[in-house]
Amino acid sequence: MKRREFMALSAAVAVAPMAARASETLDYTPGLVRERLAAGETVFVDFKASWCTTCRAQERVIGQLRADNPAYDAAITFINVDWDEYGRGELATELNIPRRSTLVVMKGDAELGRIVARTSQRDIQALMDTALEASTAS
């Protein structure tokens, strides 16, 4: 077996257990983020509203990045928070979320990064890469 094949196979085996838990986007319910963080997961939280054009633009970029790189889904738990329902709730208050279209990456007790109202692929990919690095470092 060539070194490159070995490395690819090793990486696939390493992230396989995580794939089962993170291949879909979860809808937020109170306590969900804390539960997932306590389980050791890296969490990508998307505060969004269905009527928000910036949120839709972010969603398109996130979807394309996830489709292009399955490692994101294998290693990161994606959670959508409905701004209309939870924008003034405990999680938004605790994290000091200023508005919808805020994306936050967390692991353990730490916030690893956030972007607010930005839609560029470069910015969102950098945030997702931060989450990916955190999940593979554990």
Side-chain angles (χ1 to χ4, degrees):
M1 180 179 290
K2 295 180 183 174
R3 183 176 187 278
R4 180 176 291 167
E5 292 169 348
F6 175 77
M7 295 301 287
L9 182 59
S10 296
V13 169
V15 297
M18 294 182 278
R21 72 162 162 79
S23 61
E24 63 185 75
T25 301
L26 304 175
D27 290 326
Y28 174 78
T29 56
L32 178 64
V33 171
R34 282 191 205 93
E35 172 188 310
R36 296 301 178 124
L37 291 170
E41 298 175 24
T42 301
V43 178
F44 185 100
V45 186
D46 184 350
F47 291 86
K48 65 195 319 176
S50 60
W51 48 266
C52 171
T53 57
T54 303
C55 300
R56 282 197 302 272
Q58 288 176 329
E59 185 175 26
R60 283 190 298 273
V61 172
I62 292 166
Q64 187 61 56
L65 290 168
R66 289 173 72 179
D68 291 346
N69 186 353
Y72 292 131
D73 278 343
I76 302 166
T77 300
F78 290 87
I79 300 175
N80 286 338
V81 179
D82 183 326
W83 182 257
D84 292 329
E85 188 169 352
Y86 298 108
R88 298 196 193 292
E90 183 180 342
L91 181 65
T93 302
E94 178 183 311
L95 296 177
N96 197 27
I97 302 301
R99 57 173 286 168
R100 70 206 179 286
S101 69
T102 300
L103 308 173
V104 180
V105 170
M106 303 172 68
K107 173 112 180 176
D109 293 332
E111 179 178 316
L112 304 178
R114 79 168 54 193
I115 60 175
V116 179
R118 293 195 309 232
T119 60
S120 80
Q121 179 177 347
R122 184 190 49 159
D123 290 342
I124 294 172
Q125 184 172 2
L127 187 64
M128 290 173 68
D129 286 344
T130 296
L132 186 59
E133 289 169 19
S135 68
T136 57
S138 53

